[in-house]
Amino acid sequence: PEGSMQRAAMTASALAKERRELQQQQQRTLLEAIPKDLSRPWEDPMPEEGERHLAAELRGLGMTATNEEPEWKVAALGKAPTFGMKDSRSILEQRQSLPIYALKDPLVQAVKDNQVLVVIGETGSGKTTQMTQYLKEAGFTARGKLGCTQPRRVAAMSIAKRVAEEQGVRLGEEVGYSIRFEDCTGPATDIKYMTDG
């Protein structure tokens, strides 16, 4: 194929190879400039003003790959990019905006009145994070811990972290999690998220 797309692909491939070779050449030049005998405290005994370097500064120079981001990436993402949906509301406002918040009192009353309760709700409605907090606020932790099972380890850990944030406590104290090979709970733990294995 002799089309323009083929020519563009070949040109881009050649440019990428040329750039890679240039970077490798610069890396080799930098490594060759480093003295081989770094046991001496100074590199140059008679340096010009501002040119004296400790050998310790030169050790490991060029051994690690440079992780410099391209200019376009820094301009597009900024210095500390975050991914996901940003929410400028406070944690309390976020909690109050969840669908389960309107049913807080009837839910707690239903738990008091019934031995078994099945709660069905959409994903993200607050079933996992809010119900345990509502039951804690209603005094159910006076008789023991509240347990909430999760199907996966990452879910148990991340939900426990979120609930600890909402409660304003450190993870592993009042709110914790327990998964295989890792138990992040303590004697003061009231809400415990765990895998069901």
Side-chain angles (χ1 to χ4, degrees), residues 9 48 75 91 115 150 196:
E48 295 291 323
I91 288 181
Q115 191 173 8
Q150 294 297 307
D196 43 20

Side-chain angles (χ1 to χ4, degrees), residues 40 42-53:
R40 295 176 297 162
W42 298 103
E43 169 52 29
D44 185 3
M46 302 288 290
E48 295 291 323
E49 187 65 35
E51 287 187 7
R52 180 171 274 194
H53 296 287

Side-chain angles (χ1 to χ4, degrees), residues 10-143:
M10 295 295 283
T11 305
S13 176
L15 286 173
K17 183 178 179 187
E18 184 180 324
R19 186 168 187 273
R20 186 172 50 249
E21 288 173 353
L22 180 64
Q23 287 177 339
Q24 289 171 348
Q25 179 61 35
Q26 289 173 343
Q27 190 77 7
R28 275 195 299 274
T29 305
L30 183 65
L31 287 173
E32 288 170 4
I34 297 173
K36 303 302 177 233
D37 181 20
L38 290 178
S39 58
R40 295 176 297 162
W42 298 103
E43 169 52 29
D44 185 3
M46 302 288 290
E48 295 291 323
E49 187 65 35
E51 287 187 7
R52 180 171 274 194
H53 296 287
L54 285 173
E57 293 174 4
L58 299 175
R59 284 191 187 97
L61 189 69
M63 298 299 179
T64 57
T66 56
N67 292 335
E68 293 180 11
E69 294 286 337
E71 283 183 36
W72 66 268
K73 198 177 235 184
V74 174
L77 299 177
K79 294 212 181 273
T82 56
F83 302 99
M85 191 168 56
K86 290 185 180 180
D87 202 335
S88 59
R89 298 174 296 176
S90 69
I91 288 181
L92 181 62
E93 290 171 338
Q94 290 176 35
R95 287 184 67 191
Q96 290 173 348
S97 70
L98 292 171
I100 200 168
Y101 183 76
L103 303 169
K104 177 181 178 178
D105 295 328
L107 180 70
V108 171
Q109 190 59 45
V111 171
K112 287 180 182 174
D113 295 343
N114 301 291
Q115 191 173 8
V116 177
L117 184 68
V118 177
V119 178
I120 300 171
E122 293 287 329
T123 302
S125 61
K127 300 180 301 294
T128 304
T129 58
Q130 304 306 305
M131 280 179 55
T132 52
Q133 294 181 71
Y134 297 160
L135 296 175
K136 180 182 176 182
E137 290 166 9
F140 281 86
T141 54
R143 296 184 291 197

